[in-house]
Amino acid sequence: MTRFDAAEPAERRKLYAAGIQAHRERGAGFVTFEVDEDSLSETADLDPELGTPWVQFADGTINLDCTDEELESLKGLLSEFPVFKIDEINRSEEAEGVNVRISAKADPNRIAQFVDAVFARVYGLPEDVRVWLVDL
């Protein structure tokens, strides 16, 4: 891979797909996509306890943290991606929010569409938000 960030929807989806493909070729660990805090406007309504939004992918599973309200948005989004299903929801007593694991048995491009929709619709981030591939 030669690029590790993108700020336009089509370019972000290419970044996610390339990161997922690189992850699959390496066959180890996970790939993490994280929002660039500096690209967020001051009006971004994010839970300070959860920090900067991120999404991970590994072995056919998408992993993310969200608030209960964001979880409801995520469930609505999943109705548009019928091959994606929530496998597990974990609520920690030590941390705010919930951790959600979603089975994502799809090609990298479809997963990339879903990841971009999570950042835009679940987290309510602006269309021009910059996302980094931070761990591969």
Side-chain angles (χ1 to χ4, degrees), residues 3-136:
R3 276 182 348 151
F4 293 95
D5 71 305
E8 295 177 1
E11 293 302 311
R12 283 194 309 265
R13 289 188 296 273
K14 288 178 187 176
L15 175 72
Y16 306 142
I20 290 164
Q21 188 61 40
H23 160 75
R24 286 180 171 170
E25 288 170 3
R26 291 177 184 195
F30 49 85
V31 59
T32 303
F33 303 101
E34 186 175 294
V35 170
D36 181 348
E37 273 189 79
D38 293 336
S39 72
L40 295 173
S41 69
E42 292 181 15
T43 60
D45 187 27
L46 299 174
D47 187 320
E49 293 289 323
L50 293 180
T52 305
W54 53 268
V55 175
Q56 290 181 323
F57 175 82
D59 300 324
T61 300
I62 294 171
N63 182 42
L64 58 97
D65 287 343
C66 59
T67 65
D68 287 328
E69 184 177 316
E70 291 165 342
L71 178 59
E72 291 309 310
S73 294
L74 178 62
K75 288 177 180 177
L77 178 63
L78 285 166
S79 69
E80 298 172 32
F81 291 83
V83 298
F84 293 66
K85 306 263 188 258
I86 293 177
D87 284 339
E88 195 175 335
I89 298 175
N90 294 305
R91 296 180 187 276
S92 171
E93 291 182 19
E94 295 112 33
E96 292 293 319
V98 295
N99 178 262
V100 183
R101 293 179 185 254
I102 301 164
S103 67
K105 309 290 191 243
D107 66 86
N109 290 323
R110 189 67 173 153
I111 296 168
Q113 291 171 351
F114 180 77
V115 170
D116 206 49
V118 166
F119 283 127
R121 294 172 44 198
V122 172
Y123 294 122
L125 300 176
E127 187 173 298
D128 64 346
V129 69
R130 180 170 304 281
V131 175
W132 286 87
L133 188 156
V134 295
D135 200 358
L136 178 62

